[in-house]
Amino acid sequence: MKKMIMTPGPTYIHEDVRKAMACEITNPDLDHDFYEFYRDTCNQVKDLLHTKNDVLMLAGEGILGLEASCASLVEEGDRVLCIDNGIFGHGFGDFLQMYGGDVVYFEAEYTSDIEVEALEGFLKEDHDFKLATLVHCETPSGITNPVDKICKLLKSYGILTVVDSVSAIGGEPLNVDEWGIDIVLGGSQKCLSAAPGLTFLSVSQDAWAMMNNRKTPVRGYYCNLSKWQSWYEDKWFPYTQSISEIYGFRKAVERVNTKGDYIERHKKIGQAVRKSLLEGGLKLYPTSGHSNTVTTMMVPENIAFKSLYDTMLDDHGIMIAGAFSHLKDKVLRIGHMGENCYEEKLFITLKALDKTIRKHGFDLKVELHKSFANHLD
Ligand SMILES: *Cc1c(COP(=O)(O)O)cnc(C)c1O
């Protein structure tokens, strides 16, 4: 049976993107046309992020963007702030520490989005930080943080901002320049629906300046963003580029930019998915800040996550996700990202979920897929 992958990344890849990856390659180090292609692709990403800042694409998954930001900016003993309301948010702190950061955590509830007033109160007492890290969408819990307000607040204290938007870029609003984000990073395999394997980041002048004014050299090479400062002028990449992945990624970004309706689409579908689950008598994990790219619901009592997962896959050919760490076996996640964020795909998924949940003995109050359809308008 052909599987439908409805996980919060990797997502379905459109045929045009797959075909682009099969294009004939050139030598990306020597061919000047490739430097132009790489730059044009960065410009497309700038449009997507609403920024004039430099954009880079690196060969490696989203985690590389995250680690490279920490490696390039943090020096031994730097006081840095880790804004933590979830698994990825907390994990950012581990990377900060790995590169010598003296990490202070702003810990918030894992079931809701960051309360800006609480952060404001915290910063009034203590704001001596070189930079702060923040996650846009906490993918395991399905929570989107108010990055706009948080970054503006941090900037008002002169704190540099690094935002992991891997599971939000291309699904939620993101205005890098207006919100004053110094580094935002994404991944190819989430809402942009390209193959896994690339990370991309936008880097502000302040972030470049921080790298250039380091007292100690960056530990490592592959994670050193400053190696990229004049790649275009010098026609030199720090290492050979993953050209086929970049071909595919370019097509994927073009698709998102030319359609231009992605924010509305994700919002409409995210809302309808949540309403249908609630109407069916199910519970969502977050109490606020619900993400429009992934929905995290509680596994009903007395049902094992594994049995829901297996039935969805074996009877219906649909792959959904669980989560890890403290959420393991407690929640079920449906990704509605990028190429998976279409009415027909969620209708089919919810119809299968409806049958699956009933099969395991939970009496739903409405038919999930019908309720979903009713809530689309
Ligand atoms: C997917 C994702 C990443 C990349 O992590 P992987 O587990 O390697 O895919 C980073 N940050 C967030 C918020 C993500 O959703």
Side-chain angles (χ1 to χ4, degrees):
M1 187 167 23
K2 193 170 182 294
K3 291 184 197 120
M4 198 162 111
I5 310 299
M6 294 300 288
T7 57
T11 48
Y12 175 79
I13 299 178
H14 191 270
E15 191 184 353
D16 291 351
V17 174
R18 278 186 281 125
K19 281 185 176 153
M21 291 181 75
C23 286
E24 195 172 321
I25 69 156
T26 178
N27 182 324
D29 292 316
L30 301 180
D31 191 338
H32 281 203
D33 288 343
F34 182 75
Y35 286 89
E36 297 302 326
F37 182 83
Y38 185 101
R39 192 169 74 151
D40 289 346
T41 307
C42 291
N43 287 337
Q44 289 263 350
V45 176
K46 288 185 195 184
D47 290 346
L48 181 72
L49 304 180
H50 302 102
T51 186
K52 293 195 171 63
N53 288 344
D54 291 327
V55 163
L56 305 171
M57 300 175 293
L58 315 180
E61 206 274 332
I63 295 290
L64 173 66
L66 202 147
E67 180 161 357
S69 308
C70 297
S72 304
L73 295 171
V74 178
E75 291 187 74
E76 195 67 43
D78 282 343
R79 264 188 115 232
V80 289
L81 178 66
C82 174
I83 299 176
D84 167 19
N85 70 324
I87 295 170
F88 279 101
H90 190 81
F92 230 142
D94 298 341
F95 286 96
L96 292 167
Q97 261 167 23
M98 246 177 256
Y99 290 93
D102 173 9
V103 185
V104 174
Y105 291 87
F106 173 77
E107 283 167 29
E109 285 295 332
Y110 273 26
T111 47
S112 52
D113 57 340
I114 298 279
E115 257 184 80
V116 181
E117 295 73 25
L119 181 63
E120 208 168 355
F122 174 92
L123 288 170
K124 272 205 185 103
E125 302 296 317
D126 187 3
H127 47 259
D128 178 23
F129 301 108
K130 185 171 161 182
L131 63 88
T133 60
L134 168 70
V135 174
H136 194 174
C137 171
E138 271 289 349
T139 329
S141 53
I143 292 171
T144 299
N145 282 315
V147 169
D148 50 343
K149 297 194 184 77
I150 295 173
C151 287
K152 282 181 187 167
L153 177 62
L154 290 163
K155 271 287 169 186
S156 73
Y157 284 101
I159 301 169
L160 203 99
T161 54
V162 182
V163 178
D164 169 352
S165 183
V166 174
S167 61
I169 291 176
E172 304 271 10
L174 180 60
N175 298 304
V176 168
D177 289 354
E178 194 196 319
W179 301 352
I181 306 176
D182 290 293
I183 291 190
V184 70
L185 61 109
S188 49
Q189 82 279 26
K190 304 259 165 111
C191 308
L192 299 178
S193 296
L198 286 181
T199 186
F200 53 96
L201 338 87
S202 71
V203 183
S204 72
Q205 286 309 318
D206 287 351
W208 285 130
M210 190 177 279
M211 288 179 228
N212 291 333
N213 294 327
R214 286 177 65 107
K215 291 184 223 63
T216 53
V218 174
R219 292 181 199 164
Y221 181 83
Y222 219 73
C223 280
N224 185 350
L225 294 175
S226 62
K227 297 275 175 215
W228 285 86
Q229 258 174 118
S230 56
W231 66 270
Y232 182 73
E233 293 73 20
D234 300 344
K235 301 289 178 292
W236 180 84
F237 288 120
Y239 43 86
T240 302
Q241 293 307 290
S242 301
I243 179 166
S244 302
E245 277 168 12
I246 293 174
Y247 283 163
F249 180 68
R250 163 63 172 269
K251 181 58 78 182
V253 176
E254 262 174 26
R255 279 180 59 78
V256 175
N257 278 346
T258 46
K259 282 193 171 179
D261 68 337
Y262 62 91
I263 292 173
E264 277 312 303
R265 212 175 74 236
H266 282 80
K267 194 171 161 190
K268 180 168 133 184
I269 287 186
Q271 271 174 0
V273 168
R274 295 192 293 273
K275 282 184 179 166
S276 72
L277 297 177
L278 290 172
E279 237 174 49
L282 297 159
K283 290 196 187 79
L284 301 176
Y285 176 76
T287 55
S288 68
H290 301 88
S291 160
N292 290 323
T293 64
V294 51
T295 294
T296 304
M297 63 165 248
M298 305 300 294
V299 173
E301 268 175 52
N302 305 320
I303 303 181
F305 166 76
K306 174 110 178 34
S307 54
L308 294 178
Y309 178 87
D310 287 347
T311 303
M312 283 295 280
L313 195 57
D314 299 343
D315 293 6
H316 305 280
I318 299 174
M319 185 183 285
I320 44 141
F324 32 91
S325 188
H326 67 283
L327 296 177
K328 187 172 164 24
D329 295 329
K330 295 213 171 71
V331 299
L332 175 157
R333 291 184 298 159
I334 303 170
H336 27 87
M337 298 182 171
E339 294 287 347
N340 285 347
C341 188
Y342 288 101
E343 294 177 10
E344 56 276 22
K345 287 200 169 179
L346 274 310
F347 187 85
I348 294 168
T349 304
L350 289 169
K351 189 172 175 186
L353 187 64
D354 183 285
K355 289 213 169 84
T356 300
I357 288 178
R358 286 177 205 276
K359 183 176 173 177
H360 291 286
F362 185 90
D363 195 16
L364 289 165
K365 291 190 194 130
V366 295
E367 286 176 281
L368 298 180
H369 49 297
K370 289 189 184 159
S371 165
F372 169 73
N374 285 339
H375 286 297
L376 281 172
D377 319 303

